[in-house]
Amino acid sequence: MEFIKVTRLQGKIRADYGCDGFLGKYEGEVRNHFFSCSAGINIASVLADGSISGCLSIRSDYHQGNIYRDSFWDVWQNKFQVYRDRKWMKTDQCAKCKMWRYCQGNGFHLRDGDGKLQICQYNMISHNS
């Protein structure tokens, strides 16, 4: 993160951290926007097999339909609640996290099939600082 931060300040090349997850103190310094997982909110994806998901990076457990048997519009309107109401994600390490209001449980692609968060960048950065 420090390398990206310094490189951005130098301005010689463009360096941006992707949308991977919430970065705590690095938010606003290593990418041009603050973290937000837009999966299923203003992003939807259709995969090669026709599966409908909130994002291409999300594991198949979170696919909400398939264009070969479901109406894309119906899936968008009625089956993306798992993406739009993230209260269910406030468990385990997220349950009492002081950054919940900013992170909202991190990116969907960082959760396993049971919804458990596999990687928390905020915790990793906080413990390595």
Side-chain angles (χ1 to χ4, degrees), residues 21-28 31 34-37 86 89-107 111 117 120-127:
F22 179 71
L23 304 173
K25 69 180 183 177
Y26 288 105
E27 289 296 330
R31 55 183 162 210
F34 288 98
F35 170 76
S36 103
C37 179
R86 298 181 182 208
M89 297 169 99
K90 196 170 183 176
T91 60
D92 301 320
Q93 61 185 312
C94 296
K96 295 183 180 176
C97 181
K98 63 183 178 179
M99 292 295 152
W100 170 260
R101 66 185 272 199
Y102 306 109
C103 177
Q104 294 288 300
N106 229 330
R111 295 194 168 259
L117 184 61
C120 176
Q121 291 90 338
Y122 172 72
N123 281 338
M124 290 174 22
I125 289 168
S126 297
H127 290 100

Side-chain angles (χ1 to χ4, degrees), residues 8 14-17 28-34:
R8 287 171 60 91
R14 181 178 173 179
D16 294 305
Y17 189 80
E29 294 185 347
V30 297
R31 55 183 162 210
N32 293 333
H33 55 85
F34 288 98

Side-chain angles (χ1 to χ4, degrees), residues 23-117:
L23 304 173
K25 69 180 183 177
Y26 288 105
E27 289 296 330
E29 294 185 347
V30 297
R31 55 183 162 210
N32 293 333
H33 55 85
F34 288 98
F35 170 76
S36 103
C37 179
S38 297
I41 297 170
N42 60 5
I43 293 174
S45 301
V46 177
L47 284 66
D49 68 353
S51 295
I52 303 170
S53 177
C55 175
L56 292 173
S57 298
I58 297 174
R59 55 187 296 120
S60 62
D61 306 69
Y62 295 104
H63 294 172
Q64 301 300 310
N66 189 292
I67 59 168
Y68 296 115
R69 66 174 185 271
D70 303 306
S71 158
F72 180 86
W73 184 248
D74 181 56
V75 171
W76 176 260
Q77 290 294 321
N78 302 305
K79 296 185 178 180
F80 272 21
Q81 291 82 4
V82 68
Y83 301 116
R84 296 176 182 155
D85 182 0
R86 298 181 182 208
K87 291 180 195 118
W88 66 269
M89 297 169 99
K90 196 170 183 176
T91 60
D92 301 320
Q93 61 185 312
C94 296
K96 295 183 180 176
C97 181
K98 63 183 178 179
M99 292 295 152
W100 170 260
R101 66 185 272 199
Y102 306 109
C103 177
Q104 294 288 300
N106 229 330
F108 272 91
H109 68 282
L110 300 173
R111 295 194 168 259
D112 69 12
D114 295 321
K116 184 174 175 65
L117 184 61

